[in-house]
Amino acid sequence: VGDRVAARFMNKPLGMLGEYALCNTDVCDVVPQNLSSEDAAALVSSAVVAVLIADRIREGDRVLIYGAGGGVGSHLCQMARLQGASYVAGVGRDSERLMEAPLYCDYAVDYTKTDPFSVKEWCDKPFDVIIDLAGGAWPALLQHRSSGHPSIVKSAKSKGRYLTITPDNPVFEIHKMRDFFKIFLFPSLGRAISSRIGLSRASMPKYSYVLALPETSEALTRTLALASENKLIACIDEQGPFPFTSDGVRRAFELQASYHTKGKVVITVSSDK
């Protein structure tokens, strides 16, 4: 009684911005004493996803992360290095931040100024894996392939991989089950098959849609332990944490809706004291 607890948003708790919540013990764990509640909130919501994606990174991989500056991306840049990646590159609006502590990307580009698919170094030495956290990189890869230019990622035949956690358009509405199939199932299934056994295998990486919402606390516990040992640094957007007021909540959601966050957007509902 009295311990601080961090919980994933799977099963329970449901909803958000509540001063009290009934949590399912399968998806929560005690927050280490050397972590703030704000850090814990960022870690269990975004860093857990990064930890699970990083499990698919192999030692020595060259890794490119799309959406590297957001909540998941800021933690994945760190996790890729912990997994033994030999080279980590990021794509985001604030390319300078991506190469600074604690993200430490080897190289980064601002997609509004530079076409990631035209970076000569990446074309000369393609990536082993592209991780798309922003959406839309797969159609861009297809378009680039049709242009006849060298690819920045290895083909499935050469063990190249493409991982994503979002559809091509990250903003969507689902009103009926067929909407879910149209947005998530059919495109992912078609790409996964064609990139493994189809003609695309020789020119496109192996496509995988990563489901990173575990129903157990194992990944959460690992994430909190890494942070407690200072191996993983919680990344909260510099504009926050936001206060639990009408204005604070409004500003937090406006920032989240902009899709240009620098880390995780966090709202402080109550003080640790």
Side-chain angles (χ1 to χ4, degrees):
V1 177
D3 287 336
R4 291 181 302 137
V5 175
R8 289 279 289 154
F9 51 88
M10 188 74 179
N11 297 329
K12 288 182 181 180
L14 300 176
M16 63 185 70
L17 301 179
E19 294 177 280
Y20 296 92
L22 180 63
C23 297
N24 186 325
T25 56
D26 290 340
V27 290
C28 69
D29 204 346
V30 176
V31 177
Q33 290 296 321
N34 61 336
L35 297 179
S36 70
S37 295
E38 288 77 12
D39 284 350
L43 290 164
V44 299
S45 57
S46 288
V48 169
V49 178
V51 167
L52 291 170
I53 296 173
D55 285 342
R56 296 171 178 250
I57 296 174
R58 303 164 186 164
E59 187 171 355
D61 273 350
R62 288 171 55 82
V63 180
L64 176 63
I65 302 173
Y66 265 76
V72 176
S74 294
H75 297 96
L76 184 56
C77 291
Q78 302 176 62
M79 288 304 305
R81 191 72 69 192
L82 284 174
Q83 284 292 103
S86 62
Y87 182 88
V88 180
V91 177
R93 287 282 292 269
D94 190 349
S95 56
E96 291 185 3
R97 172 180 171 265
L98 300 184
M99 293 187 285
E100 297 172 349
L103 279 64
Y104 288 125
C105 286
D106 294 293
Y107 192 70
V109 298
D110 178 349
Y111 64 88
T112 65
K113 300 177 180 178
T114 303
D115 177 12
F117 299 97
S118 300
V119 178
K120 186 178 185 304
E121 178 187 352
W122 298 351
C123 293
D124 293 341
K125 193 172 183 180
F127 292 97
D128 296 286
V129 57
I130 287 182
I131 303 173
D132 182 10
L133 305 175
W138 186 265
L141 271 175
L142 288 172
Q143 183 178 6
H144 189 76
R145 181 189 66 170
S146 65
S147 69
H149 293 101
S151 177
I152 63 172
V153 62
K154 295 177 181 178
S155 67
K157 190 175 181 179
S158 298
K159 300 184 179 180
R161 292 105 66 205
Y162 175 98
L163 309 176
T164 188
I165 59 171
T166 183
D168 294 334
N169 185 352
V171 181
F172 54 85
E173 293 184 7
I174 295 179
H175 300 285
K176 298 180 179 179
M177 186 57 69
R178 67 183 181 186
D179 296 330
F180 173 84
F181 291 147
K182 182 178 179 180
I183 295 171
F184 290 96
L185 182 61
F186 295 148
S188 298
L189 187 60
R191 293 168 182 178
I193 294 173
S194 65
S195 64
R196 283 168 171 78
I197 61 176
L199 296 177
S200 297
R201 186 172 182 271
S203 58
M204 294 291 286
K206 182 170 67 175
Y207 180 99
S208 297
Y209 196 104
V210 181
L211 298 177
L213 292 174
E215 296 189 15
T216 68
S217 61
E218 186 273 333
L220 185 154
T221 300
R222 271 200 292 151
T223 302
L224 292 176
L226 287 169
S228 180
E229 296 166 4
N230 291 319
K231 295 178 180 179
L232 178 63
I233 307 301
C235 294
I236 298 175
D237 188 276
E238 59 189 8
Q239 297 183 50
F242 291 89
F244 188 44
T245 63
S246 296
D247 179 65
V249 171
R250 185 180 300 109
R251 288 189 289 118
F253 275 83
E254 287 174 350
L255 175 60
Q256 184 69 31
S258 74
Y259 287 94
H260 297 309
T261 64
K262 298 178 181 180
K264 186 65 179 177
V265 178
V266 173
I267 298 171
T268 300
V269 176
S270 62
S271 172
D272 288 345
K273 299 178 180 180

